[in-house]
Amino acid sequence: MKDKILFVVTSHGELGDSGRKTGYFLSEVTHPWSVLGEKYDIDVVSPQGGRPPVDGFDLNDPINRKFWDSPEWQDQMSATMTPDEVKPEDYKAIFYAGGHGAMFDFPQNKKLAEIAAYIYENGGIVSAVCHGPAGILNIILKDGDNLIKGKTVDSFTNAEEDANGTSKYMPFMLQTALVDKGATFDCTAPFTDHVVVDGRLITGQNPMSALSLGKALFKALENL
């Protein structure tokens, strides 16, 4: 049997009060999956289960197209697990995909945070990209410390949010929140590929970083 990775995607489909739709960012799921799926089995969970809303729907991206046109993948994405259905002991790693929806339903989901804490404290890897690090804000370890306290991380930056015109629709600014929780923030120029590896915590900055995040997670898993 293959080792398993748990992908987390948002169930939230509204971009604040903008009247615009959002969800998980398609390439932030497909690009890491394209690297990891050959060797690892991947399960998908979302806060509400079922079919999650999707954003970043670019089918000119050949990786997106390959996955979107796969009936097996569509079947899996139409029936994501709820957090209560997850057995944390089954997974070597957890990966939080981005998309603006993650800002609204990842941070306060205690069950997902408990799953991530279990995986990490049992020698596994916690990873996230873009807005996915909203899911690592409130992971509390057995010693009472926040997982990201004293760690170096990256995420979609305040500058990127401003340039994207979406800051006013966010419930908080992710870069600021990560720093406020005790993390050191390490980013690069807006909308360029950047991944930070701090032990068994791996974070990426934006959609352009999703493939590199997958490669970094693959390498880290090989070295466990």
Side-chain angles (χ1 to χ4, degrees):
M1 289 184 59
K2 295 180 180 179
D3 287 332
K4 298 176 76 173
I5 302 169
L6 184 66
F7 275 36
V8 188
V9 297
T10 180
S11 297
H12 189 89
E14 304 292 331
L15 184 62
D17 60 1
S18 69
R20 290 156 54 187
K21 298 296 183 182
T22 188
Y24 74 89
F25 206 87
L26 183 57
S27 65
E28 293 174 22
V29 171
T30 64
H31 285 205
W33 200 317
S34 72
V35 176
L36 298 160
E38 288 296 321
K39 182 162 185 180
Y40 297 94
D41 283 336
I42 295 171
D43 291 337
V44 188
V45 61
S46 62
Q48 295 180 21
R51 178 177 284 279
V54 62
D55 200 357
F57 190 69
D58 177 13
L59 294 186
N60 290 319
D61 177 321
I63 299 176
N64 282 351
R65 170 64 75 177
K66 177 183 175 182
F67 279 86
W68 194 259
D69 288 347
S70 165
E72 294 80 12
W73 188 80
Q74 287 286 357
D75 285 347
Q76 186 170 359
M77 292 303 295
S78 70
T80 66
M81 294 187 292
T82 66
D84 286 338
E85 292 175 309
V86 173
K87 297 179 180 179
E89 63 271 17
D90 289 348
Y91 300 97
K92 293 288 187 181
I94 185 170
F95 165 67
Y96 291 88
H100 280 99
M103 295 287 288
F104 297 87
D105 64 357
F106 279 7
Q108 70 274 24
N109 194 296
K110 292 182 179 180
K111 184 65 176 180
L112 286 173
E114 290 169 0
I115 291 166
Y118 181 96
I119 291 169
Y120 188 81
E121 293 191 305
N122 284 272
I125 299 167
V126 173
S127 58
V129 73
C130 197
H131 291 93
I136 68 173
L137 279 170
N138 297 310
I139 299 173
I140 305 301
L141 304 179
K142 288 178 181 176
D143 62 7
D145 275 343
N146 193 302
L147 169 64
I148 64 173
K149 181 180 178 182
K151 299 286 200 309
T152 301
V153 302
D154 198 4
S155 75
F156 204 65
T157 66
N158 291 354
E160 288 170 323
E161 206 74 79
D162 289 344
N164 205 40
T166 42
S167 295
K168 61 185 176 181
Y169 304 122
M170 293 297 96
F172 58 91
M173 296 300 282
L174 183 52
Q175 175 181 344
T176 301
L178 290 162
V179 172
D180 287 347
K181 292 286 186 177
T184 298
F185 199 81
D186 178 14
C187 64
T188 189
F191 307 109
T192 56
D193 184 359
H194 192 239
V195 171
V196 174
V197 179
D198 189 340
R200 290 181 290 106
L201 178 63
I202 305 173
T203 47
Q205 186 164 323
N206 47 39
M208 300 77 184
S209 311
L211 188 64
S212 295
L213 188 287
K215 292 176 180 178
L217 177 52
F218 187 95
K219 182 178 179 180
L221 284 164
E222 294 298 284
N223 291 328
L224 282 181

